[in-house]
Coordinates of all heavy atoms in Angstrom, one line a residue:
T490 N 31.4 25.9 -2.1 CA 31.0 25.4 -0.7 C 31.4 26.5 0.3 O 32.0 27.5 0.0 CB 31.6 24.1 -0.4 OG1 31.0 23.6 0.8 CG2 33.1 24.2 -0.2
A505 N 37.0 23.5 33.1 CA 36.2 22.4 32.7 C 36.3 22.2 31.2 O 35.3 22.4 30.4 CB 34.7 22.6 33.1
S518 N 27.6 18.4 15.8 CA 26.8 17.3 15.4 C 25.5 17.6 14.9 O 24.9 16.9 14.1 CB 26.7 16.3 16.5 OG 28.0 15.7 16.8
I559 N 28.3 28.5 28.3 CA 29.3 28.2 29.4 C 29.9 29.6 29.7 O 30.5 30.3 28.9 CB 30.4 27.2 28.9 CG1 29.8 25.9 28.5 CG2 31.4 27.0 30.0 CD1 30.7 25.0 27.8
A577 N 37.5 14.8 -0.3 CA 38.0 13.6 0.4 C 36.9 13.0 1.3 O 35.8 13.5 1.5 CB 39.2 14.0 1.2
N593 N 43.1 30.7 6.5 CA 43.9 31.9 6.5 C 43.2 33.1 7.3 O 43.8 33.9 8.0 CB 44.2 32.4 5.1 CG 45.2 31.4 4.4 OD1 45.9 30.7 5.1 ND2 45.2 31.5 3.1
A637 N 22.8 33.7 25.6 CA 23.2 32.6 24.7 C 22.3 31.4 24.7 O 22.0 30.9 23.6 CB 24.6 32.1 25.1
L658 N 12.4 26.4 29.5 CA 13.4 27.0 30.4 C 12.9 27.2 31.8 O 13.7 27.7 32.7 CB 13.8 28.4 29.8 CG 14.6 28.4 28.5 CD1 14.8 29.8 27.9 CD2 15.9 27.7 28.6
N659 N 11.6 26.9 32.0 CA 11.0 27.0 33.3 C 11.1 28.5 33.8 O 11.4 28.8 35.0 CB 11.7 26.1 34.4 CG 10.9 25.9 35.6 OD1 9.6 26.0 35.6 ND2 11.5 25.7 36.7
A664 N 10.0 36.9 30.6 CA 11.5 36.7 30.8 C 12.1 36.3 29.5 O 13.2 36.7 29.1 CB 11.7 35.7 31.9
K687 N 21.9 37.8 0.0 CA 23.0 38.2 -0.8 C 24.0 37.1 -1.1 O 24.8 37.2 -2.1 CB 23.8 39.4 -0.1 CG 22.9 40.6 0.0 CD 23.7 41.9 0.3 CE 22.9 43.1 0.2 NZ 23.7 44.4 0.3
I688 N 24.0 36.1 -0.3 CA 25.0 35.0 -0.6 C 24.6 34.1 -1.8 O 25.4 33.4 -2.4 CB 25.1 34.0 0.7 CG1 26.4 33.3 0.7 CG2 23.9 33.1 0.7 CD1 27.6 34.2 0.9
F691 N 26.8 33.6 -5.0 CA 27.9 32.6 -5.1 C 27.4 31.2 -5.5 O 28.2 30.4 -5.8 CB 28.6 32.6 -3.8 CG 29.3 33.9 -3.5 CD1 28.8 34.7 -2.5 CD2 30.5 34.3 -4.1 CE1 29.4 35.9 -2.2 CE2 31.1 35.5 -3.8 CZ 30.6 36.3 -2.8

Side-chain angles (χ1 to χ4, degrees):
T490 192
S518 294
I559 301 172
N593 291 340
L658 293 172
N659 198 28
K687 293 198 172 187
I688 203 67
F691 295 103

